[in-house]
Amino acid sequence: MAARAMNRWTNSLSSLADAKPVSYWLDDPGRPEPRPALTGDERCDLLVVGGGYSGLWTALLAKERDPGRDVVLVEGKEIGWAASGRNGGFCAASLTHGTANGLARWPKEIKKLEELGAANLDAIEAAVARYSIDCDFERTGELDVATQPHQVAELREFYEELGEAGLADGVELLDAEQTREQVASPTFLGAMYDRHGVAMLNPAKLAWGLKRACLDLGVRIYEHTPATELASNGAEVAVRTPYGRIFARHTALGTNVFPSLVKRTRAYTVPVYDYALMTEPLTADQLAAIGWKNRQGLGDSANQFHYFRLSADNRILWGGYDAIYPYGGRVRAEHDDRPETYAKLAGHFFTCFPQLEGLRFTHAWGGAIDTCSRFSAFFGTAHGGRVAYAAGYTGLGVGATRFGADVMLDLLAGGPTERTELEMVRKKPLPFPPEPFAATGIALTKWSLARADANGGRRNLWLKAMDSVGLGFDS
């Protein structure tokens, strides 16, 4: 038995021998050339800071709302280079990091939040078609799979809770046999199948497609143009960049994990590093061995969970589990590559899919995402309502950033809307404490979550205390 386990571990390590330490999505010969940097001063109606999904959707929706609005977008490096170009490509309808989180935090408005989320996902699908964005968009749904007996019971309890709340439409509970008919893994004991609420896509191609759509509508985009300082300037906001300033009537900040130009909001987020692997394309026989005919996204139900999905060319992306917080909350490129996590992920992959032994990984990468204490985005304004911000998407920003863009534009417009009246929009999460308390608390929470996974889901006193004050560390 020990020899077999050692052999499997050695084989999983050898599967990483040729893996390139770069996001598979960004390692694309079709990657567009960056736009020139800003040199000199500019004026505009709306300045958008950040060239990920948050900024791109804001610029695009601003032009759709008012084609005559003069919009400028600045990006510190290249469009989509960070979280928007290296995530798993799960585009979820949920605005609240899953219905469970939303139901726990905003039970009185969860139905409205779910309706807005569904409409938001429909609008993303429509935009992909309208602007001919070639991003492999597939409305496949997602399986939340149980790999431990206590997770089966938890899924059943949550499914019943959804039914009582009138939120179970399009959701199906599967037993072990039904789950393995969808995707064949000996580790799967059951699942909850959300048939309509999640789409799969190529995340980098979505960002590049949104960039092209913005340019076509007249947005002026400057890449390699970091925004370094923001200040009021009479009736305008002035943003400094290395080679010039931009004066704008309004500014929207879509910088997410990177330090906000509104400094008072920085305590609300911390960076967490997430890692993923991508396999070589599966052969027809390998694909048949796992039976993944409906191409859903998958995630397991553990606190330290994995997410996995098929690419358009039938590779498997396998990510998650480790979530690494760097002391002091510093975002640094050296954290993007973590071989010890890649080795761990490879071993877990072949435990899930032993029938794919011998498959090799072509790419292994990581990067920072921003998280906040309630796991879903928060919003606000500054500088007399001339600046709006949204941050804290916690890894589910592929879809929710479009909603956040609408919220920022609503806030800048000044009048109440269906979105700005939401408690989720009006209230902030609890801030994180300074160091060393942040690192200590996060480390204790990670240890406690791992213990819960190993002990039938039982939460210790620390996790119960976090739940009681609304931090709710459950994923």
Side-chain angles (χ1 to χ4, degrees):
M1 184 74 72
R4 189 180 305 122
M6 180 60 69
N7 186 55
R8 175 171 288 181
W9 177 249
T10 301
N11 289 340
S12 69
L13 289 180
S14 67
S15 69
L16 293 163
D18 302 317
K20 298 166 67 174
V22 62
S23 166
Y24 166 77
W25 311 115
L26 295 173
D27 188 23
D28 186 335
R31 183 174 182 166
E33 291 294 317
R35 303 286 295 177
L38 172 70
T39 55
D41 291 350
E42 284 268 20
R43 270 196 157 78
C44 60
D45 296 324
L46 173 67
L47 170 64
V48 179
V49 179
Y53 298 138
S54 186
L56 290 164
W57 280 119
T58 303
L60 185 69
L61 293 175
K63 292 295 283 187
E64 288 184 348
R65 289 185 182 200
D66 179 2
R69 188 182 318 195
D70 186 20
V71 180
V72 169
L73 184 150
V74 294
E75 162 54 44
K77 292 190 177 181
E78 295 183 19
I79 295 297
W81 75 275
S84 296
R86 60 189 180 215
N87 63 81
F90 287 64
C91 186
S94 177
L95 306 174
T96 59
H97 206 270
T99 306
N101 191 49
L103 190 57
R105 297 184 186 281
W106 303 289
K108 293 181 180 178
E109 59 186 32
I110 186 62
K111 285 190 176 180
K112 175 56 64 179
L113 288 166
E114 292 286 294
E115 290 169 4
L116 290 170
N120 183 65
L121 182 55
D122 289 343
I124 292 172
E125 185 172 15
V128 166
R130 181 166 62 255
Y131 295 108
S132 301
I133 298 175
D134 180 16
C135 64
D136 305 324
F137 188 98
E138 299 180 279
R139 196 79 173 257
T140 58
E142 182 178 14
L143 287 166
D144 184 8
V145 297
T147 58
Q148 297 291 333
H150 74 271
Q151 295 168 9
V152 175
E154 289 170 355
L155 284 180
R156 185 180 302 111
E157 290 171 8
F158 181 55
Y159 179 73
E160 292 170 356
E161 187 178 359
L162 289 178
E164 292 170 0
L167 300 171
D169 286 352
V171 179
E172 184 179 351
L173 197 64
L174 308 181
D175 62 23
E177 182 179 353
Q178 291 169 321
T179 303
R180 293 174 190 178
E181 286 174 356
Q182 296 292 328
V183 184
S185 168
T187 67
F188 294 171
L189 305 179
M192 193 157 63
Y193 187 3
D194 179 354
R195 291 186 173 273
H196 309 297
V198 182
M200 297 292 108
L201 52 77
N202 180 314
K205 286 185 175 181
L206 175 61
W208 298 335
L210 290 172
K211 172 185 175 180
R212 178 177 52 78
C214 285
L215 291 169
D216 288 347
L217 292 181
V219 177
R220 303 199 303 285
I221 296 177
Y222 298 99
E223 295 179 70
H224 296 290
T225 303
T228 58
E229 185 180 348
L230 180 152
S232 292
N233 184 64
E236 298 178 312
V237 174
V239 172
R240 187 176 298 278
T241 75
Y243 303 121
R245 293 173 299 172
I246 306 169
F247 300 92
R249 290 176 55 215
H250 293 112
T251 297
L253 302 179
T255 49
N256 295 309
V257 75
F258 300 101
S260 175
L261 294 177
V262 178
K263 293 181 180 179
R264 71 171 184 267
T265 70
R266 292 181 182 180
Y268 291 114
T269 62
V270 295
V272 174
Y273 280 78
D274 180 52
Y275 299 90
L277 308 176
M278 184 69 94
T279 73
E280 62 190 342
L282 274 64
T283 66
D285 287 345
Q286 288 170 327
L287 197 56
I290 58 174
W292 205 336
K293 297 182 291 295
N294 294 318
R295 303 182 58 80
Q296 311 96 324
L298 282 88
D300 63 55
S301 300
N303 292 308
Q304 291 185 280
F305 65 94
H306 305 89
Y307 55 87
F308 39 117
R309 52 76 58 97
L310 289 170
S311 67
D313 58 349
N314 291 329
R315 301 167 183 261
I316 298 177
L317 180 144
W318 179 266
Y321 193 78
D322 271 350
I324 306 300
Y325 169 74
Y327 185 88
R330 300 180 183 90
V331 179
R332 297 285 186 271
E334 58 262 31
H335 301 314
D336 291 351
D337 192 37
R338 198 165 193 269
E340 57 266 47
T341 292
Y342 303 150
K344 194 181 298 182
L345 285 172
H348 296 169
F349 177 87
F350 291 109
T351 298
C352 183
F353 294 122
Q355 62 269 55
L356 297 181
E357 187 172 346
L359 194 67
R360 298 178 75 81
F361 297 101
T362 61
H363 296 75
W365 71 93
I369 59 175
D370 64 327
T371 189
C372 69
S373 60
R374 71 184 193 191
F375 298 112
S376 54
F378 62 91
F379 314 90
T381 61
H383 292 268
R386 292 188 295 274
V387 175
Y389 55 84
Y393 291 97
T394 317
L396 277 188
V398 180
T401 46
R402 185 193 176 279
F403 173 81
D406 262 330
V407 170
M408 284 195 285
L409 292 172
D410 288 351
L411 291 171
L412 291 173
T417 69
E418 182 179 42
R419 286 178 287 263
T420 61
E421 292 296 295
L422 292 167
E423 182 184 354
M424 174 189 175
V425 171
R426 291 185 289 104
K427 294 188 177 181
K428 300 284 192 299
L430 291 172
F432 289 94
E435 297 293 11
F437 304 106
T440 301
I442 290 169
L444 181 55
T445 299
K446 284 187 61 180
W447 177 82
S448 298
L449 290 172
R451 290 271 297 174
D453 284 339
N455 288 290
R458 290 186 291 277
R459 297 168 76 79
N460 64 15
L461 291 175
W462 174 258
L463 292 179
K464 290 177 180 177
M466 294 297 97
D467 293 338
S468 69
V469 297
L471 293 176
F473 286 98
D474 60 354
S475 64

